[in-house]
Amino acid sequence: MLKQMEGSHAVAEAVALCRPEVICAYPISPQTHIVEGVGEMVKAGKITNCEFINVESEFAAMSVAIGSSATGARTYTATASQGLLFMVEAVYNASGLGLPIVMTVANRAIGAPINIWNDHSDSISQRDSGWIQLFAETNQEALDLHIQAFKLAEELSLPVMVCMDGFILTHAYERVDIPTQEQVDAFLPPYEPRQVLDTHAPVSIGAMVGPEAFTEVRYLAHEKQMQALDLIPKLAGEFKTIFGRDSGGLVRPYRTEDAETIVIAMGSVLGTIKDTVDEMRDAGVKIGVLGVISFRPFPLDAVREAIKHAKRVVVLEKTFAVGIGGILATDVRTSFFGFGIQIESYTVIAGLGGRPITKASLHELFEKAGRDDLPRLTFLDLDWKVVNKQLERERKMRRSGPAAENILRDVSSTAAHLG
Amino acid sequence: MSFQPVKFYQTGTFTVGNRLLVPEERSVQANMERTNSLNSGHRACQGCGEALGARYAIDAAMHATNNQLIAANATGCLEVFSTPYPETSWQIPWMHSLFGNAPAVATGIAAAIKIKRQKGLKDDVRVVAQGGDGGTTDIGFGCLSGMFERNDDVLYICYDNGGYMNTGVQRSSATPPAARTATTMPVGQQPGNVFGQGKFMPAIAMAHEIPYVATATVADLRDLEHKVKKAMTFRGARYIHILVPCPLGWGAASQDTIKLSRLAKETGTFPVFEAEYGELTNSSKIRRVLPVEEYLRPQKRFAHLFGKTPAVATLVRLQALADKNIRKYQLLDKEAN
């Protein structure tokens, strides 16, 4: 059914349709509307046979999820930003134990400085945690990916993170197609756990594993993610059969066939990039876009296949590895390194802490890239004046004070930071 | 003893001979069909109080639940010595996740069970979570308080040996004052653990006004069994705090585990009591109050108090703490004393 609704509520509806059995959550912006939504549905009896637990921290949220999933309950939680970091120990534990928990991450920056707005630093920080990470481009895709995520998680016995841009998607009202319960039931069978705490067949879960077996257990986690590379497109296909639309998959190419320049990105910014690319295509520029939906496992083959004919890639990412540069860009380069493919690659850090990514800035950026006139690492719309002023201050004074507060003062005095 | 009016004073202890009791009142451990939930062959040290306490507690919980029990375990000695991969001593469904999250994992297990029951599961499966004092009073404190506050249907058992014994005997917030640990060495102006710090978790559990809180020691295993079984008659959050001597960490002889447990109680150092909904309901009385010195002296972690010049002032302070426990938890048996 077509509905005009907030992204968070669309996700809540999707989760409800998946017949969750335990939902636990601790509030953090911009995840709140999702858990408020499912919480109300449980309380009102719209989701039946489901326990909603308000816990005291994100660490507890993931720990409750671990307990309930290990007892055979379909389990869901959601978090963002600092909350994800606070639960990290349990995040690794859930994947290490192979528990098919589904978690929404309403992507938000990580402090300090504290910042509630969108970028991808939170989930990307967990790229090596063993969780599958799927990035939604639109609210419709966020809704659809949750339905796929439960099936993917439970078939592999691995947890799945569905990442959606905080505020940009979670708080945006858009038209979404809400599937029927019959459709979802046809796609998603009841959860049949591989391992379960059962009084009639007692097992010990979480034993100490020494050097004699640890590598094998860890390799298995990698092997599972390699299986996911086959399963994700398969599920997207099944999904299309039942729901009648394309959603999910590993990557999504857009006008890449004859493109000399291919822009690679994840999440909602793909919309702005596609608009920019359309305008440049109209002007005769051979440019295309590759959206990465599955960040973990990273689809090396699919990415290489999509970009191998291009002259250059511009990887635009809403996060960065301090001290080296791109993260997605490094993964993209891994996809073609050693295959004898000559592609220039540029890393662009953009949209940190909610900084708007405008078509005007992208136009300029892509044109420069097209002329191979771009540094290897670019910080889009970085205000050099402000940065240099602070660097100068630190050179001059030992006690130069807290950097973030200095920069805030400098910015408010110029007030020209938003392009 | 809280569960029967008649006291059997045999061989100088409260131990009740099973043959004197009607079969249904006999101990779970005396039952041929006891579950051996924590089976033999584990790697605990000789004289480990925790291994003893855990076996009695979990067997009693199994007995009380008709063997329908799932356990969540915090990281620590109990977890390590019971499950060296690929072996396990647990005869029950058992899960170890992390050091600080056993109460929350148990909450999740209980939530899943509740839904399974709604969906037709016939067995009344109950949940127990367990950890050492570090996993309980320090790193797991937040999750434990959350579990208490929500009144989740979980029995949490803390095996208190007064320190991080698994990592090499470091101080926890349950380490007694003056005790030597690897991080409170008997050097400087105030040798050993400082006074005025630490927390007594049973009192904090009582402050949450949960249905049932009890303390016990491994000196009185009938009492421990009784409290575990009683805890299982309640729904909601329950807490049992068991003093379990650690021969390694305390510097005590392994054959003295029971003796030290008894001395901890008889000196008033460790109060043994029960509370319901935040109110003290029963105290195990001290038969003959002994000076704290008798409890401290056999332990090398207090050896610095008994050198050439005994630390009299410190002993007076420790005695004052025991006396306070005796008053606060009404530990004196007025008939006997």
Side-chain angles (χ1 to χ4, degrees):
Chain A
M1 193 194 345
L2 291 177
K3 273 190 176 172
Q4 186 75 12
M5 67 195 312
E6 196 193 43
S8 295
H9 288 143
V11 167
E13 292 282 350
V15 171
L17 288 166
C18 292
R19 302 187 185 278
E21 293 170 302
V22 174
I23 299 172
C24 41
Y26 184 82
I28 181 166
S29 299
Q31 149 266 35
T32 44
H33 293 183
I34 301 172
V35 291
E36 288 164 12
V38 285
E40 188 178 341
M41 281 190 269
V42 172
K43 202 144 195 265
K46 204 178 154 195
I47 306 177
T48 54
N49 291 324
C50 180
E51 187 78 345
F52 182 85
I53 305 168
N54 286 299
V55 291
E56 74 282 357
S57 74
E58 286 89 357
F59 177 66
M62 185 48 63
S63 301
V64 168
I66 286 167
S68 62
S69 185
T71 316
R74 181 170 286 162
T75 303
Y76 171 78
T77 187
T79 192
S81 183
Q82 313 298 135
L84 180 61
L85 293 204
F86 194 57
M87 65 164 71
V88 166
E89 193 191 10
V91 166
Y92 273 73
N93 196 251
S95 55
L97 292 170
L99 298 173
I101 299 158
V102 171
M103 171 164 70
T104 312
V105 176
N107 291 120
R108 169 185 149 182
I110 289 170
I114 187 168
N115 174 300
I116 64 162
W117 292 281
N118 165 247
D119 69 31
H120 292 166
S121 307
D122 48 5
S123 35
I124 301 291
S125 78
Q126 295 308 296
R127 65 188 180 274
D128 305 328
S129 66
W131 283 60
I132 287 171
Q133 289 194 7
L134 307 174
F135 277 78
E137 183 178 334
T138 63
N139 283 350
Q140 183 68 60
E141 187 163 57
L143 184 157
D144 295 344
L145 283 180
H146 280 85
I147 299 166
Q148 295 186 26
F150 279 105
K151 186 159 182 173
L152 179 63
E154 289 167 13
E155 289 212 3
L156 293 169
S157 212
L158 267 193
V160 177
M161 230 177 254
V162 181
C163 310
M164 65 189 292
D165 287 316
F167 295 111
I168 298 170
L169 292 181
T170 57
H171 288 55
Y173 278 75
E174 273 189 350
R175 193 183 76 169
V176 286
D177 190 351
I178 307 263
T180 62
Q181 187 66 62
E182 291 69 35
Q183 283 175 309
V184 176
D185 288 347
F187 179 78
L188 180 64
Y191 172 36
E192 280 292 336
R194 278 190 183 275
Q195 52 179 352
V196 64
L197 295 166
D198 178 355
T199 53
H200 295 287
V203 288
S204 295
I205 300 176
M208 174 167 249
V209 176
E212 74 282 8
F214 193 76
T215 306
E216 286 69 25
V217 176
R218 294 305 299 150
Y219 173 76
L220 202 62
H222 179 66
E223 173 65 28
K224 287 271 189 77
Q225 289 229 353
M226 294 303 100
Q227 290 174 14
L229 286 175
D230 296 328
L231 192 53
I232 290 168
K234 184 170 162 264
L235 291 183
E238 284 175 26
F239 187 88
K240 190 176 184 180
T241 311
I242 295 173
F243 300 85
R245 60 178 169 269
D246 282 309
S247 248
L250 297 171
V251 295
R252 186 173 301 123
Y254 179 77
R255 303 184 85 167
T256 53
E257 305 77 35
D258 61 339
E260 293 174 351
T261 304
I262 294 178
V263 184
I264 303 178
M266 302 195 294
S268 64
V269 72
L270 285 164
T272 320
I273 294 172
K274 284 176 186 172
D275 286 350
T276 312
V277 161
D278 283 343
E279 288 170 16
M280 291 177 76
R281 277 275 179 184
D282 291 345
V285 182
K286 288 185 173 174
I287 185 167
V289 189
L290 183 70
V292 174
I293 300 157
S294 171
F295 177 62
R296 284 294 180 272
F298 192 76
L300 293 170
D301 294 343
V303 169
R304 183 174 57 252
E305 198 53 38
I307 62 173
K308 64 181 182 189
H309 61 278
K311 288 184 176 161
R312 65 189 70 82
V313 290
V314 179
V315 183
L316 185 136
E317 45 190 305
K318 288 184 171 184
T319 181
F320 76 116
V322 182
I324 173 163
I327 298 168
L328 178 61
T330 303
D331 292 353
V332 167
R333 277 196 291 274
T334 305
S335 77
F336 60 82
F337 179 79
F339 282 84
I341 300 168
Q342 284 303 312
I343 306 180
E344 293 296 332
S345 82
Y346 302 100
T347 305
V348 181
I349 311 302
L352 296 184
R355 173 73 55 95
I357 300 173
T358 64
K359 278 204 290 181
S361 296
L362 291 179
H363 257 290
E364 195 188 328
L365 180 80
F366 298 157
E367 274 164 16
K368 273 190 182 169
R371 297 193 301 271
D372 287 315
D373 181 24
L374 204 60
R376 291 281 162 204
L377 178 63
T378 304
F379 287 79
L380 190 69
D381 296 335
L382 181 73
D383 189 338
W384 283 106
K385 252 194 336 208
V386 168
V387 171
N388 287 330
K389 192 169 177 184
Q390 172 63 13
L391 288 173
E392 175 69 12
R393 189 181 285 127
E394 289 180 14
R395 266 194 300 273
K396 278 187 180 157
M397 255 186 294
R398 176 67 217 165
R399 192 159 179 169
S400 53
E405 285 68 13
N406 285 339
I407 287 179
L408 272 181
R409 260 194 307 279
D410 295 342
V411 163
S412 60
S413 64
T414 57
H417 59 292
L418 296 180
Chain B
M1 307 239 298
S2 49
F3 55 94
Q4 57 184 36
V6 186
K7 287 176 181 171
F8 294 86
Y9 291 173
Q10 295 185 331
T11 62
T13 76
F14 284 95
T15 311
V16 173
N18 269 299
R19 60 198 160 76
L20 300 179
L21 295 171
V22 291
E24 56 269 24
E25 285 181 9
R26 289 178 189 172
S27 76
V28 174
Q29 286 299 310
N31 190 331
M32 294 287 281
E33 282 164 16
R34 74 174 190 212
T35 46
N36 282 326
S37 307
L38 176 61
N39 215 346
S40 57
H42 58 67
R43 315 280 175 88
C45 307
Q46 264 192 347
C48 173
E50 187 174 36
L52 179 62
R55 178 160 61 85
Y56 270 75
I58 302 301
D59 275 350
M62 283 287 273
H63 181 81
T65 58
N66 198 24
N67 299 346
Q68 296 302 310
L69 188 71
I70 297 176
N73 212 120
T75 308
C77 277
L78 180 59
E79 167 260 325
V80 171
F81 76 62
S82 65
T83 57
Y85 182 90
E87 297 156 13
T88 178
S89 286
W90 295 102
Q91 305 299 303
I92 60 170
W94 175 95
M95 181 178 202
H96 159 248
S97 172
L98 296 168
F99 200 176
N101 73 353
V105 171
T107 292
I109 296 170
I113 295 297
K114 183 179 168 187
I115 298 306
K116 285 182 179 296
R117 299 260 295 158
Q118 280 176 20
K119 288 184 167 179
L121 175 72
K122 293 280 184 291
D123 306 313
D124 186 8
V125 179
R126 308 295 299 276
V127 184
V128 64
Q130 50 187 354
D133 52 287
T136 303
T137 67
D138 289 339
I139 198 168
F141 186 67
C143 283
L144 185 61
S145 179
M147 188 274 277
F148 285 164
E149 166 276 311
R150 290 185 302 268
N151 201 24
D152 296 327
D153 191 18
V154 173
L155 166 63
Y156 189 95
I157 302 174
C158 170
Y159 304 100
D160 173 11
N161 57 19
Y164 291 91
M165 306 319 188
N166 189 42
T167 44
V169 196
Q170 294 85 14
R171 175 206 183 267
S172 80
S173 61
T175 300
R180 178 199 70 190
T181 69
T183 51
T184 57
M185 291 300 273
V187 293
Q189 290 291 313
Q190 289 191 314
N193 194 27
V194 295
F195 280 80
Q197 296 185 352
K199 50 181 131 161
F200 187 53
M201 197 60 214
I204 300 170
M206 283 172 69
H208 287 76
E209 305 203 344
I210 56 175
Y212 185 69
V213 173
T215 65
T217 77
V218 288
D220 195 346
L221 292 161
R222 290 300 313 268
D223 179 61
L224 169 58
E225 278 191 354
H226 165 73
K227 283 168 175 167
V228 171
K229 286 198 264 181
K230 185 168 176 183
M232 283 309 189
T233 65
F234 291 87
R235 294 282 163 171
R238 290 141 289 143
Y239 181 74
I240 297 182
H241 189 108
I242 309 172
L243 184 75
V244 290
C246 170
L248 174 84
W250 293 15
S254 51
Q255 73 267 26
D256 282 348
T257 294
I258 306 299
K259 185 174 129 189
L260 284 172
S261 303
R262 188 180 308 125
L263 287 169
K265 185 212 157 198
E266 295 290 301
T267 54
T269 305
F270 185 82
V272 178
F273 61 90
E274 291 176 287
E276 292 176 26
Y277 303 99
E279 287 181 41
L280 192 69
T281 52
N282 181 45
S283 305
S284 294
K285 304 300 180 192
I286 298 173
R287 246 175 117 197
R288 280 185 295 275
V289 182
L290 297 170
V292 289
E293 200 177 319
E294 295 211 18
Y295 168 64
L296 303 172
R297 202 180 268 278
Q299 304 180 46
K300 287 204 184 76
R301 63 175 173 162
F302 295 112
H304 56 281
L305 304 180
F306 303 103
K308 277 181 190 152
T309 32
V312 177
T314 306
L315 289 169
V316 167
R317 293 180 83 179
L318 288 166
Q319 184 63 56
L321 291 174
D323 293 344
K324 188 175 158 191
N325 278 339
I326 290 171
R327 288 192 304 276
K328 189 171 176 182
Y329 295 100
Q330 301 157 28
L331 303 178
L332 227 46
D333 188 340
K334 294 213 172 68
E335 286 170 48
N337 283 274

